[in-house]
Amino acid sequence: MSRIISNTVNIRLLRGASSAALVLATCACASSPHPHAHEARSAEAMFRPGKAALDRGDYDRAVRDFQNLQAEYPYGPYAEQAQLDTAYAYYKQGDSKAAVAAAEAFIKAHPVNPHVDYAWYLKGLAQYQAIEGAEFNPQPDYAALQTFRYLAETYPKTAYALSARLHIAKIIDLLGERNLRICKFYFIRHAYVAAANRCVRVIRDYQLSPARNLALYYLARSYRHLDLMALARTTAIILHRNAPSAPQTQKLRALWQPSAER
């Protein structure tokens, strides 16, 4: 399965406010006889080529320039912006692990920075970028889900939170599909207890996933094979209420029809 393409907001535009603030701060420093004014201008001079490389898509060069800046000036607004831009450059390169590490380093070093929500967003995007599909290792799915949930709950009024919720919905769909595949794997091998347990997980943890109704179908059939007829009927009735015209619902007609309960 091809790698998933995320439907994200334009994060470059969202970074405009912080860049503008940085420029204003620079102008203020340059106009005042601050003892560190020369140092600030030097940091700015080192930041400019990295920013230019980032804007033209030369992410390798951008990363090198930003790393050089942070080595020379590890503190201050330019160093912080360079950290964020490094994470973004890694993300654009498709280097998910490096992007996550860079975002985490910023979050750890600057937990109260006004743009830390953007760092959390970059971390989630990089983790989401590593997702390959329902049949692959689900660890990136769980990691991205945890990050986006934290972002949406901690910074609910930001534009990043809206995008995070969209990603959460996509991840839930993937995890629901993955667990449904496992349920079917057990079911066709007559491992009905294992199949039922996995279907319950889909219904309980990923109830907003499209996989839920199929999980109800296989759960009802698993209960029937286990001679748990009361549970099978209850499950079939729930499926009938959720999707009355679905083919799977019709296949369980004998369970949910009122006449079948007499």
Side-chain angles (χ1 to χ4, degrees), residues 37-49 69 73 75 78-79:
H38 175 70
E39 179 177 314
R41 286 195 298 272
S42 298
E44 179 190 7
M46 293 188 71
F47 179 80
R48 280 199 300 265
L69 166 61
Y73 300 103
Y75 307 106
Y78 286 103

Side-chain angles (χ1 to χ4, degrees), residues 226-240:
L226 293 168
D227 292 326
L228 300 172
M229 296 308 297
L231 289 174
R233 289 193 184 96
T234 300
T235 304
I237 290 169
I238 294 172
L239 176 60
H240 178 248

Side-chain angles (χ1 to χ4, degrees), residues 85-104:
D85 287 342
T86 297
Y88 177 77
Y90 279 133
Y91 164 70
K92 292 296 289 183
Q93 281 181 317
D95 191 342
S96 302
K97 289 184 179 180
V100 169
E104 286 178 341

Side-chain angles (χ1 to χ4, degrees), residues 142 175 178-179 182 195-207 215:
Y142 294 125
L175 289 174
R178 182 179 189 275
N179 282 276
I182 297 173
N197 288 337
R198 189 60 66 157
C199 286
V200 167
R201 184 172 179 179
V202 175
I203 298 162
R204 181 193 63 210
D205 297 341
Y206 311 112
Q207 57 183 284

